[in-house]
Amino acid sequence: MSMVVASVGPQFAIISGDTRALEKDTRKVVSEDFRKVYKLNDNVLIGFVGTGTPIKCLEENFGYQIDNKFFADEFAKEFFELMKTNYIEDEYAVLIVGKMKNGNGWCTGFNHLSEKMDIAKQFTENSDMFFLWPDNEETDYSDMQSSQLKKVTGIARHAKNVKRAVEEISTSVTYLIQEVSKEVDSVNRNIVTYSLIF
């Protein structure tokens, strides 16, 4: 499994992921350039880990760009229902972040076992981070996650403007994923990042 990290605040959303793809059974590297994060429009960012099933659903039902009429919360509900109805066989996890119709930041996540969207959070004041960590039973990511969350929260609070905060958070998240890639063979150092400022 790969790695995807999202950060969301009242005025921004960021999503980053590596680009390594492994063959499910052998764990042999099949691609070093397989995107797991996408900017779908000016309101919605999506990322996934696991099988490529969410990409298939996205491509078959929406393409890689969607109309700006979709906001993050609305798109997530529709995408979740499509995944649960049509793509139940594979293992995957999905994060969807972006802007709600009311202008606030928003995030949700779910996986192949979810009966409902696991998290659905609106951001009016603070920021938060969400992680899809790689499968690695020997690694405990809790210290790394806690440290990253503190760092990003500090950046969001003290940056002179939202654009600067987004740049600093993106740099921090890239560094985090690259550090994980040193320990985990399913994650590479090629990072794709998308951000929204609203």
Side-chain angles (χ1 to χ4, degrees), residues 10 61 104 113 156 176 179:
N61 294 284
N104 292 329
L113 300 174
L176 172 70
E179 286 300 300

Side-chain angles (χ1 to χ4, degrees), residues 3-5 15-18 35-39 46-48 192-194:
M3 185 168 182
V4 171
V5 179
I15 198 159
S16 299
D18 79 294
R35 280 193 320 157
K36 298 162 192 136
V37 297
Y38 294 86
K39 178 180 179 181
I46 189 171
F48 73 92
V192 175
T193 299
Y194 293 102

Side-chain angles (χ1 to χ4, degrees), residues 23 63 68 72 104-105 113 116 122 142 144 148 163 165 174:
E23 201 279 325
N68 271 333
N104 292 329
L113 300 174
K116 60 184 174 88
Q122 179 176 190
S142 57
M144 198 179 280
Q148 187 69 19
K163 183 178 179 187
T174 296

Side-chain angles (χ1 to χ4, degrees), residues 60-74:
E60 289 175 353
N61 294 284
F62 300 98
Y64 295 107
Q65 293 288 309
I66 59 175
D67 192 295
N68 271 333
K69 71 177 183 174
F70 276 108
F71 288 87
D73 52 329
E74 299 164 335

